[in-house]
Amino acid sequence: GLPKLKVCVAYKLKNGETVTEFPANFMDLVDCEPVYEEFDGFTEDITNCRSFDELPATCQAYVKRLEELSGCRISAIGTGPQRDHVIQINSLVD
């Protein structure tokens, strides 16, 4: 686990403009500064979690926020190095 988690949600360009899309122009990208949203992390061992509800509340909130930011459902979460260390939270097919 990590005590704090960050997700880049925007980019501040050198002209002061903030954009939410990744800068396509290389010259904009060179001097841009990422804007982060910071989340409480978790330090608990999650390798034995087998369902979303067993994850720490801060981990659940992080996953839900990633879904909101990306506009996509997260289907599975890896919780450790073994093949069975995976939690399916949404169907992989509709």
Side-chain angles (χ1 to χ4, degrees), residues 25-63:
N25 180 321
F26 178 74
M27 294 310 293
D28 286 340
L29 183 59
V30 169
D31 293 320
C32 77
E33 182 179 322
V35 177
Y36 294 104
E37 189 170 321
E38 192 170 286
F39 303 88
D40 288 333
F42 55 96
T43 56
E44 298 91 332
D45 179 5
I46 62 170
T47 57
N48 291 320
C49 294
R50 295 295 177 257
S51 72
F52 187 76
D53 293 336
E54 292 176 8
L55 293 170
T58 53
C59 184
Q60 292 180 32
Y62 177 68
V63 170

Side-chain angles (χ1 to χ4, degrees), residues 1-92:
L2 297 168
K4 291 287 179 186
L5 300 166
K6 291 182 179 183
V7 175
C8 181
V9 295
Y11 301 90
K12 187 173 183 181
L13 304 179
K14 63 182 170 185
N15 67 5
E17 180 185 4
T18 299
V19 296
T20 57
E21 299 291 327
F22 187 79
N25 180 321
F26 178 74
M27 294 310 293
D28 286 340
L29 183 59
V30 169
D31 293 320
C32 77
E33 182 179 322
V35 177
Y36 294 104
E37 189 170 321
E38 192 170 286
F39 303 88
D40 288 333
F42 55 96
T43 56
E44 298 91 332
D45 179 5
I46 62 170
T47 57
N48 291 320
C49 294
R50 295 295 177 257
S51 72
F52 187 76
D53 293 336
E54 292 176 8
L55 293 170
T58 53
C59 184
Q60 292 180 32
Y62 177 68
V63 170
K64 289 176 184 175
R65 183 63 178 139
L66 289 177
E67 287 182 322
E68 290 172 6
L69 289 169
S70 68
C72 299
R73 295 180 315 163
I74 293 177
S75 298
I77 302 169
T79 60
Q82 303 300 320
R83 285 180 169 234
D84 65 339
H85 289 170
V86 176
I87 297 171
Q88 183 175 333
I89 61 172
N90 287 300
S91 174
L92 297 172

